[in-house]
Amino acid sequence: MKHLWWALLLLLAAGLAAQDSKPSNPGSVAVIRAGTLIDGKSDKPRHDQVIVVQGNHIESISDAASAKLPPGAAIIDLSKATVLPGLIDSHTHIFLQGENPAQGGYDANILNAPLSLRAARATVAARRALEQGFTTLRDVETEGAGYGDVGIKQAIAGGYIPGPRLFVSTRAISTTGGYPLEGYAPELDMPKGAQIVDGAVEARKAAREQLDHGADWIKVYMTHRSWVGKNGELVSQPTLTVEELRAIVDETHGWGKKVACHAYSGIGLRRALDGGCDSIEHGLDLDDSAISQMLKQGTWYVPTIAAYYTDWAPADTPEGRRDRLRASVHEPSFKKALKAGVKIVFGTDMGGIPWTEPMAQEFSRMTELGMQPMDAIQSATSRAAVMLDMEGKIGVIAPGAFADIIAVDADPIRDIKALETVQFVMKDGKVFRSELK
Ligand SMILES: [Zn+2]
C-alpha cells in the first residue's frame, strides 16, 4: 500500500512539473525569423528578430544581425510576416454552436443533442479556435453539458485532439427564474443550462462542487433577460443577491481562483460589483459609478461587443427594439471604460456567434470604438494573461514563455483585420498550421 502511495505521489509530481514552463522536449530546437515582432507587451513592434524555441518554450529573442543560431536548429522563415504571441479569447462557449432558431435554437442543445454529439462539436470548436491563432481560451460554461469542458481540456492537454489551452468554468451558477430552459409548462421539471441555487448555502455548495470537479473559474449569471424600460432604458432582471454572490466569491477566492460575472446593467450589475466579481462579462450599460467601482476594485471588463450585433430581431418588435438598444448603450459604456482606464480584455462570446465566423472580428469592433490597435492586441495577449494568472507564460513572446506563436502576412497595426487570417500557428513549440509563402 505504501508503495502505491509513493507511486501516486510521483505521478502527481510529474504531472505538476509538466504544467510548468519547463521544456517538454529539451532536444528539439527551432529558430523563427520574424520580419516584424509584436511581442504582446511592448508598445512598439521590433523588426528582424530571431526567436529561439526549445521544446515547448521560448529560449531567447535577439536581433537577427547579432543572433547566434544554435547548430542543427530547424529554421522557420517568417521574415516577411508579422509575428505575435498566440491570441487569448477570454469569453467563449465551445459547447454552443450559434443557436440558429431554424435548428431549434438554444433549447435543442439540451433537449435533442446527445452529450457525445455536443462533445464532438466542442472538439471541432476547439480546433477552429486554434486554427485562427487562439492558443488559449477561457471557456465560460458548458450550457447544460455538465463538466464536458473538463474532459475536452484533458483531451487537448493529453494530445488526443488539437486545441487551445483551456481555462474552464464548468456548469455556471444562476438562480430560480434565472436561466433557460424556460417557457415550458410549469408542471414539467425542465433541465437548466446552469446550476440553479437559492440562498448562500446552496451558492457556496455549488461553487465547491464545481471547483472540486475541475473548474478553473466560476461563472455566475448576475442578470438574466433584458427589455426596454418605461423611459427607454435597458432593464435586466437581477438574479443572485449580494449575499449569495459573496458566498461564491469567498469560496472561490479561498481556492485561489476567480469569479466571472455575466452582468448587463442596473441592480444586477451593482450587486456583481458589491459582491466582488473579478470580471464583468458584457457590461452593456456601465454608469459612472460602476466604472469608478471597477477601477477601485481592479475589476476586469470583457465587453464582447461583436456578439450584440448579430441576430437582431425585426426592428418593429419588442425584442428587436431591445437588441438595438443593447448595442447602442454598449458603445458609450465601452468608450467610457476605455477612457477611464478600466482593464479591458478581449472576448468574443463565440458559440453565441457561430464557430464558422472569424473570432478576430471583435478586434475591429474594439478599434472602431476608439481602442488603439496595439491596445486591442494586448487585450488578447499580455493583459488577458494577467487576468488568467499566467503573466509571462502566455500572451507574450519573451524568454521562459510557452512557445505559443502566430504570424500574419500583413501589418495588424495598420489593418487590424489582418488578424482574421492567421497563416501560422505554433502552440507549445509545435507547428499546427503553416501557410505562409
Ligand atoms: Zn457568454
Side-chain angles (χ1 to χ4, degrees), residues 78-248:
L78 304 177
S79 59
K80 293 192 179 70
T82 301
V83 174
L84 305 99
L87 301 170
I88 302 169
D89 187 339
S90 291
H91 190 122
T92 63
H93 302 277
I94 57 171
F95 280 87
L96 287 182
Q97 305 299 322
E99 314 325 299
N100 183 349
Q103 286 158 16
Y106 179 87
D107 294 12
N109 281 302
I110 295 173
L111 294 175
N112 304 120
L115 274 179
S116 52
L117 173 60
R118 298 199 67 188
R121 293 192 303 207
T123 302
V124 175
R127 185 191 177 99
R128 287 278 305 135
L130 187 58
E131 281 170 355
Q132 294 174 75
F134 285 83
T135 51
T136 301
L137 305 181
R138 185 185 61 160
D139 199 68
V140 280
E141 89 138 316
T142 62
E143 312 284 358
Y147 294 92
D149 51 357
V150 176
I152 298 289
K153 176 184 167 175
Q154 288 172 352
I156 293 168
Y160 295 99
I161 57 170
R165 299 172 195 289
L166 289 189
F167 289 81
V168 299
S169 52
T170 73
R171 300 179 62 191
I173 298 171
S174 191
T175 56
T176 295
Y179 216 75
L181 304 178
E182 51 199 10
Y184 292 88
E187 294 76 19
L188 295 174
D189 192 11
M190 299 305 287
K192 299 290 176 183
Q195 189 167 3
I196 300 299
V197 301
D198 294 291
V201 172
E202 284 185 19
R204 187 180 288 272
K205 186 170 185 196
R208 283 178 179 158
E209 278 175 15
Q210 295 183 10
L211 291 160
D212 187 28
H213 293 317
D216 300 305
W217 277 69
I218 294 295
K219 167 80 178 287
V220 180
Y221 284 86
M222 290 305 296
T223 61
H224 180 54
R225 297 189 181 95
S226 57
W227 59 93
V228 182
K230 281 190 222 81
N231 303 310
E233 79 282 22
L234 182 72
V235 185
S236 52
Q237 170 206 327
T239 52
L240 283 83
T241 63
V242 173
E243 189 199 12
E244 288 164 335
L245 176 60
R246 280 206 179 123
I248 292 168

Side-chain angles (χ1 to χ4, degrees), residues 20-25 28-32 51-61 76 83-87 130 133 135-136 165 390 392-407 424-432:
D20 258 357
S21 64
K22 303 252 165 57
S24 59
N25 178 5
S28 87
V29 181
V31 168
I32 296 174
I51 306 163
V52 176
V53 172
Q54 176 147 21
N56 70 345
H57 76 290
I58 296 166
E59 188 68 29
S60 66
I61 296 125
I76 298 170
V83 174
L84 305 99
L87 301 170
L130 187 58
T135 51
T136 301
R165 299 172 195 289
M390 291 287 281
K393 290 195 169 181
I394 59 172
V396 67
I397 294 188
F402 285 112
D404 293 357
I405 297 169
I406 65 167
F424 174 87
V425 179
M426 169 185 274
K427 185 195 152 208
D428 250 341
K430 293 190 195 83
V431 177
F432 175 70

Side-chain angles (χ1 to χ4, degrees), residues 248-294:
I248 292 168
V249 170
D250 179 62
E251 185 66 29
T252 307
H253 286 178
W255 289 59
K257 297 192 170 161
K258 291 181 183 160
V259 180
C261 293
H262 168 115
Y264 276 5
S265 63
I267 299 168
L269 173 67
R270 209 165 334 129
R271 288 183 190 168
L273 293 170
D274 288 346
C277 290
D278 296 293
S279 72
I280 295 294
E281 308 300 307
H282 318 303
L284 297 187
D285 195 3
L286 302 177
D287 56 17
D288 291 342
S289 86
I291 286 181
S292 67
Q293 196 171 354
M294 289 171 82

